[in-house]
Amino acid sequence: MNEIKERIDKLWSNEISIEEQHKLLESLRKDCAGLKSDLKNDYDLELSKVEKEITEKRFEHILARLHARMDDQETKPNAKIFPLYHWIKVVAALLIVALVTVLYFSRNHAPQQKELAGNHVQLKKEILRQPYNSGKSAMIINLSDGSRVTLQPQSSLSYYEPFNSRSRNISMKGEATFKVAKDKHHPFIVSANGFTTTALGTEFTVNTNKKDRLTVKLIEGKVVVKAGSENRMKMSDIYLIPGEQLSINTKLKVHSLINFKDSNNTDKPKPALSVTAKDALLFNETPLSEVFSSLAKRYETDFVYEDVEETELQKLYFTGSVGATEKLNTILPVICNMNGLTFKLTAKSIIISKQK
């Protein structure tokens, strides 16, 4: 390749001998494809050192020089070497034009090919993770973005790792607490029971353990809970602040939002914290049998159950607060609707029955 270049340079400077002209012609005839490849490699090497505009000008300059030399040689009356000069210059010109065409195509399509190749590699690297906690104690899962998940027993997650370039998506069942690494450009989205909880950097708990029930408890930061497109329940987006808990009954299509106090950091059922008339009643996943008992003392009335066993009420729960001045007929619809019950006020008692 270097020898051919030297002879072409001699040709342009009128310093080539007849013998060298014949050798150059023979080389071009034998290895036209090889010359193209070598010229392309040289161009690629040169392109890595300089800017594109400079390289294109360089080729324009080469073509201009070539045509100028061809015109100059055609004006000289040298019959012995003109045909050989003419043939070599035509071949060299065609090679350079072909090379410029190939390089133009490569330069305009290479970035797209590299991008597609990069995406293909990225898709290959994505791995589906589906951890399931079959033990009796909580499991800690560290995610690739620096977030941490505390997965409770009999609970599971499903997500692809690494996360994609736009968001961090996780599906779950059971109960899990998420301590999310802050990243305002990549929202952290947890999908459960047809709802999504979205956060940028925060700590919250999502619980789907109870049938037809979803609860989201915000410990730190800020989240927004939305009904998914596949969910038939119409619900406006709900923004939570620290200390708030959202409970959604997906069967009855109702929800409630309360403030919670969780000093023991546990979700076990608790009795009413107060039953005196002057204090507010606070319930945290309290069985309905205890809730109605507390309300009976507060409002000095009796609760009567029709077609509802007390054992059934022990399996139904309520989370919320009843203010000291709140009327009974305003709190009962909330409690009953959340648990598929109905009520009737009489002069001496309150009759609780199942919704039909």
Side-chain angles (χ1 to χ4, degrees), residues 291-317:
V291 173
F292 289 146
S293 176
S294 299
L295 293 177
K297 294 178 182 180
R298 159 68 67 83
Y299 295 98
E300 297 179 351
T301 187
D302 293 328
F303 279 76
V304 179
Y305 308 117
E306 288 185 355
D307 301 325
V308 181
E309 299 293 335
E310 189 169 350
T311 54
E312 294 181 75
L313 295 176
Q314 292 176 354
K315 297 179 181 179
L316 301 175
Y317 303 91

Side-chain angles (χ1 to χ4, degrees), residues 14-274:
N14 285 334
E15 296 176 358
I16 190 169
S17 65
I18 298 297
E19 182 180 357
E20 287 176 324
Q21 292 176 29
H22 283 285
K23 289 182 179 180
L24 177 57
L25 179 60
E26 189 66 19
S27 298
L28 291 174
R29 285 175 176 173
K30 286 184 177 180
D31 196 21
C32 181
L35 179 60
K36 281 184 182 180
S37 176
D38 290 341
L39 287 173
K40 183 180 184 303
N41 290 338
D42 284 354
Y43 172 84
D44 289 340
L45 180 61
E46 197 70 19
L47 185 62
S48 66
K49 298 178 181 178
V50 296
E51 297 295 331
K52 178 180 70 173
E53 290 79 12
I54 297 175
T55 304
E56 290 177 350
K57 289 180 180 179
R58 176 175 179 270
F59 271 96
E60 291 174 1
H61 182 60
I62 291 174
L63 287 174
R65 285 180 57 201
L66 180 62
H67 285 296
R69 286 298 306 155
M70 290 174 65
D71 294 339
D72 182 58
Q73 289 294 329
E74 287 174 358
T75 59
K76 293 182 179 180
N78 192 338
K80 293 184 179 180
I81 65 173
F82 173 75
L84 187 57
Y85 266 180
H86 181 72
W87 170 249
I88 294 175
K89 291 175 181 178
V90 169
V91 172
L94 290 175
L95 285 175
I96 293 177
V97 171
L99 178 60
V100 171
T101 302
V102 170
L103 293 176
Y104 174 81
F105 179 82
S106 300
R107 183 170 59 251
N108 282 275
H109 290 268
Q112 182 179 2
Q113 292 174 349
K114 288 181 180 179
E115 182 179 353
L116 292 174
N119 291 338
H120 181 66
V121 171
Q122 184 178 0
L123 289 176
K124 280 188 174 182
K125 288 183 179 180
E126 285 185 346
I127 300 174
L128 177 61
R129 307 286 190 189
Q130 293 180 308
Y132 172 72
N133 187 356
S134 59
K136 296 182 179 180
S137 59
M139 175 191 295
I140 303 298
I141 299 173
N142 295 312
L143 304 180
S144 59
D145 68 330
S147 300
R148 185 179 66 185
V149 183
T150 302
L151 191 64
Q152 298 300 327
Q154 312 307 312
S155 302
S156 63
L157 304 177
S158 179
Y159 58 95
Y160 282 93
E161 200 171 46
F163 295 113
N164 65 38
S165 59
R166 293 185 178 180
S167 60
R168 299 169 284 174
N169 296 278
I170 289 183
S171 298
M172 62 154 291
K173 291 182 180 180
E175 180 180 0
T177 298
F178 300 87
K179 192 170 182 62
V180 181
K182 293 183 178 180
D183 187 347
K184 64 181 181 180
H185 300 296
H186 301 87
F188 193 97
I189 303 173
V190 177
S191 300
N193 278 16
F195 293 83
T196 62
T197 301
T198 304
L200 295 177
T202 189
E203 184 175 359
F204 60 95
T205 297
V206 179
N207 192 333
T208 66
N209 280 331
K210 293 183 175 62
K211 186 179 180 181
D212 303 322
R213 186 73 63 86
L214 169 71
T215 60
V216 180
K217 179 185 293 185
L218 181 59
I219 302 169
E220 178 185 340
K222 187 176 182 179
V223 299
V224 56
V225 181
K226 303 180 180 181
S229 57
E230 75 283 1
N231 198 316
R232 296 181 179 179
M233 178 175 171
K234 293 183 179 180
M235 186 185 80
S236 300
D237 298 349
I238 298 177
Y239 291 83
L240 303 183
I241 61 176
E244 288 187 335
Q245 175 175 295
L246 173 67
S247 296
I248 303 173
N249 190 317
T250 57
K251 182 178 181 180
L252 300 176
K253 296 180 173 55
V254 294
H255 67 274
S256 65
L257 184 64
I258 59 108
N259 291 317
F260 68 89
K261 294 180 180 180
D262 199 6
S263 58
N264 293 326
N265 195 25
T266 177
D267 288 330
K268 293 182 179 180
K270 297 179 180 180
L273 299 184
S274 174

Side-chain angles (χ1 to χ4, degrees), residues 292 295-296 299-304 306 327-333 336 342-353:
F292 289 146
L295 293 177
Y299 295 98
E300 297 179 351
T301 187
D302 293 328
F303 279 76
V304 179
E306 288 185 355
K327 294 181 179 180
L328 185 59
N329 59 1
T330 61
I331 187 62
L332 278 178
C336 291
T342 186
F343 71 96
K344 182 189 296 184
L345 295 175
T346 67
K348 296 182 179 180
S349 64
I350 297 172
I351 301 174
I352 302 294
S353 58

